[in-house]
Structure formats: C-alpha cells, structure tokens
Amino acid sequence: MYNLIRKDFLVQRNIFLFGFLYTVFAAFFFKEMVPGGGAIYMVAPYATVYLLVMYACGFDDKNKAEIILNSLPITRAELVIAKYVSAIGFMAVAILFSMLIGAIGIFTGFPEIERFISLDDVLIVLISGLFLVSVFYPLYFKFGMEKMRFVNMALFMVLFFAPNLITSFAAENPESKVVKVVLSILNETNASLLKAGSLIAVIIIYLLSLFISIKIYRNKEL
C-alpha cells in the first residue's frame, strides 16, 4: 500500500509546485475575501487539496492505471484505502505550504501576512478536506473520472462558497426560524466542544465513505 500512496505523490511533482505558487497567489488576491490570514491558511490549502486529489485520480484514469493495478497481487480494498490515505497526505502538504508562505510573509513582509497559522485554520482545512474526499471518492469509484468532471467542479464550488453564502443568509434573515435555532445551538455550545464534535462527525463520515467506496469498487466491473 505504501507504493500506491507513493505513486499518487510522485506523479504530481508539477502540481505540488503549482499548489505552492497558488498559495502565494491566494495570499495576495483572496485576502479581502477572507481577512485576517484566512485566505492563505484556509482557502489556499482547500483549493490545493482539491487539485491534488483530482489530478491523482485523473492521472490514473488517463493512463488506465486501475487495469494494471488490478492485475497485480493487490486487493481492491487496498487500492481504495490508499486513495483515502493519500488525500490526508495531500492535506498535510497543503497546510505545510500555507505555514511556510505565512512564515516567509511575516518575517519578510512579502507577501503581507498578518499572523501565523492557528489550530482553528488547520481544523477548518481538515474538516473541509475530509468532507470533500468523502463525497468525491464514492462517486469516483462508481462512475470514473470522465463522468465526474462537472460534478467535481460543482462540488468544489459548493464547499468553497458555502460558508460565505450561509453567513450572508444568516445576516440577511435574522428572524428565520432555522437561523434562530442554529444560532441558539451555537451560542449555547462550548466552542471547543463544537469544534471537536465537528471533527469527530466528519471523521465518521470519512470512514463511512471509505467503506462505501470499498464496497462499490469490489463490485465494479473493469
């Protein structure tokens, strides 16, 4: 399985460079969208994870890698698990990129960064990244990359813009019953407990997605 994960990293050396440069880009152009360092520490890592996951799957699909891999003494469950583990590795790389660019910006002033990365930033990247792959991989193993192209972009856009849309809706509709209930729960729940609960919930979703993908891929005809 180690070699399967290693493959997903080795085939994307150029994409890693693009992800690094994109992090610099985000520090300049998205800082007004998510002030206080959020662009470089949350937006950029999420986008980088998306790119790495999509490119790894796209490479396998383009080169018919699954046909070759399924001819080797590797179980289909191992192939699926490797993809899910690779995604966690991609998140770590994306977070490291943002930490590095953030540190450079703070010490040199280029790009202009206001603060170091925080635990909340890392938590948001993990939650959004895990949820992204949890939705994407079952569909990918069911339909393949070719049929997923438009779904991929829609999924990225939904998760990318959803927080701002939800915040705007709440601000514009303070009297909405749904908004009142959600705000009441948020106000009455300890912040640390809420964060831990969100992380645990997305980990459960991630594991359920893994089992679903394994079942789908085991029954798939190549």
Side-chain angles (χ1 to χ4, degrees), residues 144-162:
M145 199 65 181
E146 186 64 32
K147 295 180 180 179
M148 285 287 294
R149 295 190 185 280
F150 295 108
V151 176
N152 295 341
M153 184 55 65
L155 179 61
F156 173 80
M157 298 299 285
V158 167
L159 292 177
F160 189 87
F161 290 109

Side-chain angles (χ1 to χ4, degrees), residues 87-98:
I88 294 177
F90 296 155
M91 291 175 215
V93 169
I95 291 169
L96 286 173
F97 282 168
S98 65

Side-chain angles (χ1 to χ4, degrees), residues 10 29 32 35 40 45 62 69 78 80 82 100 121 125 132 146 152 167 172 178 189 195 202 208:
L10 290 177
F29 293 96
E32 298 301 326
I40 188 172
K62 179 181 178 180
L69 293 172
E78 289 177 317
V80 173
L100 179 59
D121 297 326
V125 174
L132 170 70
E146 186 64 32
N152 295 341
T167 302
E172 295 171 3
V178 174
T189 305
K195 294 171 187 175
V202 80
L208 287 173

Side-chain angles (χ1 to χ4, degrees), residues 14-91:
N14 292 335
I15 302 301
F16 280 121
L17 176 60
F18 181 82
F20 183 83
L21 296 176
Y22 180 81
T23 304
V24 179
F25 172 86
F28 285 105
F29 293 96
F30 292 146
K31 63 181 180 181
E32 298 301 326
M33 179 188 297
V34 189
I40 188 172
Y41 296 131
M42 291 180 282
V43 175
Y46 170 71
T48 300
V49 170
Y50 171 84
L51 289 171
L52 293 173
V53 169
M54 299 304 146
Y55 188 85
C57 293
F59 178 88
D60 285 352
D61 199 63
K62 179 181 178 180
N63 294 279
K64 308 298 181 183
E66 63 177 353
I67 296 176
I68 299 172
L69 293 172
N70 277 281
S71 68
L72 300 175
I74 303 170
T75 67
R76 291 195 175 192
E78 289 177 317
L79 292 173
V80 173
I81 293 171
K83 285 294 184 189
Y84 276 76
V85 175
S86 292
I88 294 177
F90 296 155
M91 291 175 215

